Amino acid sequence: MANATLIRRMRSFARDGVFVEVLIWHVPVVVRGSLHEFKYSLALVSEGVCVLRYDNEAGKGDHRHIGAIETPYAFSGIDQLTADFLADVEGWLDDNAQG
């Protein structure tokens, strides 16, 4: 992304075969479909499969994927985005103790 400033980049393993990746950029122009100047992708990957993702793909706006289900997400700031994502990660880890 030209002229984007990386705000946060993190990859952390939750357990064997399961990791979290967070990428957040400040962008000079609002991403089409969103109302803020951030581009983000927060993902939980288990055994090579993305099982949870929050992102704001151009044209789709702010949304999240839980498995195959996509729902809108009400973005209210980077800290809240991160907290909401991590709460969903914790829920997924609790529900999928073996995966």
Side-chain angles (χ1 to χ4, degrees), residues 14-15 18 44 52 86-99:
R15 61 177 175 236
V18 180
L44 173 64
L52 171 66
L86 292 176
D88 280 348
V89 166
E90 186 174 323
W92 187 93
L93 291 171
D94 288 347
D95 292 345
N96 297 274
Q98 302 304 316

Side-chain angles (χ1 to χ4, degrees), residues 25 27 29-40 54-63 73-76 81:
W25 298 269
V27 293
V29 178
V30 172
V31 175
R32 189 169 36 93
S34 295
L35 301 174
H36 52 82
E37 295 178 342
F38 297 99
K39 172 70 179 146
Y40 60 86
Y54 282 51
D55 68 301
N56 62 334
E57 180 181 340
K60 284 188 161 187
D62 304 293
H63 61 282
Y73 175 73
F75 181 90
S76 62
L81 168 73

Side-chain angles (χ1 to χ4, degrees), residues 64-86:
R64 69 182 182 167
H65 305 259
I66 300 177
I69 299 170
E70 182 179 316
T71 59
Y73 175 73
F75 181 90
S76 62
I78 292 172
D79 291 338
Q80 189 62 54
L81 168 73
T82 303
D84 292 343
F85 172 71
L86 292 176

Side-chain angles (χ1 to χ4, degrees), residues 3-24:
N3 299 320
T5 302
L6 185 63
I7 301 289
R8 189 171 294 159
R9 181 182 194 152
M10 183 265 305
R11 180 180 272 199
S12 177
F13 282 86
R15 61 177 175 236
D16 243 8
V18 180
F19 68 89
V20 169
E21 183 169 74
V22 174
L23 297 165
I24 304 172

